[in-house]
Amino acid sequence: MATAEGARARARIEVTAAIKDEARRQLAAEGAARLSLRAVARELGMVSSALYRYFPSRDDLLTALIIDAYDSLGESAEAAHAKSAGAAPARRWVAVCEAVREWALTHPHEYALIYGSPVPGYSAPETTVPAAARVGLLLIGIVREAHRGRGLAVAKLPAELEPEARRMAADLAPDLPPGAVAALVAAWAQLYGLVGFELFGQFHKVVEDRPEFFRHAADRLAHGVGLVFPRAEAD
């Protein structure tokens, strides 16, 4: 009995993986808005009713693909962070940002799924949040470590922004200065804006040496959140 159950579990894992692989091919060819369970089933030689046992709706399949994409991105960022262990926080920040860019360039359609235009009629459920938060939590952790060590060089906030910065700090990182949290939120948006501009063609005939431009921009984001580079690097 245990052997039969194990075989069924393995078969389910294999079929689920095949469904998601075919769905990713459809994303690349047609875009997320045109993803169709019937088309996926047809390409796999399955009847639609069989596929529905794995993913009851298109939204369920989209959610699985979104979580996979966020997790893949998070794993890449975490691997870059681990590889840069021992470096100054600002260096680790840049390493994580560069890993985000490299992942996006390698997985453009999955990046578009999670950071491109919203899919009409789809609303991501709360189950996507833990995977979506991985990169953000990693960046917060780098800033937190710097704050606990040598401290942060955070610019003073305008008085009118202080209430909102305190609110964000209470929600996201109560142990960090509100100014640092406000800068983190801005840096998070700018990071994905930089990646999106490159990936979706807005840098065409504008930025030629894109790796170096991105590295410089990531440096500036690090400074913006209060991370200070070692003096030798800054010089």
Side-chain angles (χ1 to χ4, degrees):
M1 180 66 71
T3 301
E5 290 177 354
R8 283 195 293 270
R10 288 192 298 273
R12 184 173 185 85
I13 291 170
E14 291 171 359
V15 173
T16 299
I19 291 170
K20 291 196 285 189
D21 285 345
E22 176 56 35
R24 292 186 188 98
R25 282 190 285 271
Q26 287 197 19
L27 289 180
E30 304 288 346
R34 300 187 64 180
L35 180 64
S36 162
L37 288 183
R38 290 183 179 275
V40 171
R42 183 173 60 251
E43 291 299 320
L44 294 176
M46 300 173 63
V47 296
S48 299
S49 58
L51 191 147
Y52 293 143
R53 292 199 293 268
Y54 295 86
F55 296 100
S57 70
R58 181 211 66 162
D59 285 5
D60 291 308
L61 179 53
L62 271 176
T63 296
L65 296 176
I66 288 168
I67 291 173
D68 283 356
Y70 277 129
D71 276 333
S72 178
L73 172 59
E75 288 164 10
S76 294
E78 289 159 6
H81 182 257
K83 188 175 180 180
S84 65
R91 281 288 117 221
R92 285 184 280 122
W93 171 282
V94 173
V96 169
C97 291
E98 289 185 318
V100 170
R101 173 182 177 268
E102 290 166 8
W103 183 90
L105 295 178
T106 306
H107 304 83
H109 304 293
E110 290 169 80
Y111 185 89
L113 175 64
I114 55 178
Y115 289 114
S117 300
V119 180
Y122 174 80
S123 179
E126 289 293 318
T127 52
T128 62
V129 172
R134 288 174 70 165
V135 173
L137 291 176
L138 194 59
L139 294 174
I140 289 172
I142 293 171
V143 174
R144 178 176 287 123
E145 181 181 336
H147 179 56
R148 291 173 177 171
R150 294 187 177 183
L152 298 170
V154 183
K156 182 176 174 57
L157 286 174
E160 58 270 22
L161 183 57
E162 287 180 1
E164 177 63 6
R166 286 195 297 271
R167 185 200 62 76
M168 288 191 291
D171 287 345
L172 300 174
D175 56 324
L176 291 178
V181 176
L184 268 164
V185 173
W188 171 73
Q190 291 171 70
L191 168 60
Y192 290 110
L194 284 163
V195 173
F197 261 50
E198 179 174 359
L199 192 64
F200 302 135
Q202 280 88 348
F203 282 159
H204 181 58
K205 294 187 177 181
V206 177
V207 180
E208 297 296 333
D209 189 348
R210 292 170 188 172
E212 191 57 40
F213 177 82
F214 183 87
R215 188 173 300 114
H216 171 75
D219 284 350
R220 294 299 91 200
L221 294 180
H223 278 282
V225 299
L227 300 178
V228 180
F229 285 81
R231 183 173 297 277
E233 292 187 27
D235 293 342

